[in-house]
Amino acid sequence: MKYRINPWRFAFWIAVVSILYLGVKSTPNTQLFSGADKFYHWLAFTVLTVTAHYAYPRLPLPLLCLTIIAGSAGIELLQTLSPDRTTSLADLTVNIVGVLSGLAITQLLSGDQDHPRGHTKPSRRKKRHKRRRHSHTERHVHSADDAHEPSEGHESAPALVVRPH
């Protein structure tokens, strides 16, 4: 049996491991420019959300976003265990903005704004056999058994009977 690796799942798990490592290691990351820390948070959670969306397309978006945000909060709380790291509400806020940015990117890339995940699902309606279509009215010709007798001077004409569907 040949096993096929899903590249989106591989990228997702690489992102998860990288974020976990960088988030809980004892020394802070190198800052290449002023405010780089917030940029790193935003970029990491944007990438994580995009890869999660494509790695697990059947996962409902609210659950996907809430899980990533909960993981982000967990990493921030784990930083309290390290003497060199601190928990930051600003970092958590930027992480949430990253999740929302990733969500926006996935919606733009999907191209289908009508469906929330961008995937068109086949209709669940059962196929109907082609039926002979009848109009909503049917012609009914009076017979001798009918109680209605035409009045004098009027010919017996077919009556229209409306039947609901």
Side-chain angles (χ1 to χ4, degrees):
M1 180 169 93
K2 189 175 181 182
Y3 184 74
R4 184 175 163 248
I5 296 174
N6 181 334
W8 285 108
R9 286 194 181 167
F10 182 74
F12 168 74
W13 287 107
I14 292 294
V16 167
V17 169
S18 299
I19 290 170
L20 281 172
Y21 171 73
L22 294 171
V24 297
K25 73 178 190 164
S26 62
T27 57
N29 300 315
T30 306
Q31 302 296 311
L32 297 178
F33 54 89
S34 176
D37 176 53
K38 302 303 180 237
F39 175 73
Y40 297 154
H41 281 265
W42 173 81
L43 183 63
F45 282 89
T46 299
V47 169
L48 184 65
T49 303
V50 170
T51 58
H53 172 79
Y54 289 109
Y56 300 97
R58 293 185 180 168
L59 194 64
L61 282 177
L63 179 62
L64 177 93
C65 292
L66 289 175
T67 302
I68 294 172
I69 291 169
S72 167
I75 290 171
E76 288 298 321
L77 291 175
L78 283 174
Q79 288 179 354
T80 60
L81 301 176
S82 173
D84 299 326
R85 305 291 297 262
T86 59
T87 299
S88 169
L89 186 59
D91 287 349
L92 182 60
T93 303
V94 174
N95 294 349
I96 292 171
V97 171
V99 170
L100 295 175
S101 297
L103 185 60
I105 289 169
T106 60
Q107 294 306 299
L108 289 173
L109 291 177
S110 70
D112 184 1
Q113 300 302 319
D114 293 334
H115 193 274
R117 291 300 289 254
H119 306 289
T120 55
K121 292 183 179 179
S123 175
R124 291 184 180 218
R125 287 185 237 161
K126 292 181 180 178
K127 290 183 180 179
R128 294 184 182 188
H129 296 286
K130 290 186 179 181
R131 295 183 194 169
R132 191 176 207 186
R133 294 194 175 235
H134 298 284
S135 65
H136 291 289
T137 59
E138 294 181 9
R139 295 198 179 269
H140 177 71
V141 179
H142 291 284
S143 64
D145 295 335
D146 290 336
H148 175 29
E149 293 290 326
S151 58
E152 285 186 78
H154 291 66
E155 296 181 19
S156 176
L160 293 179
V161 177
V162 179
R163 295 186 183 178
H165 281 78

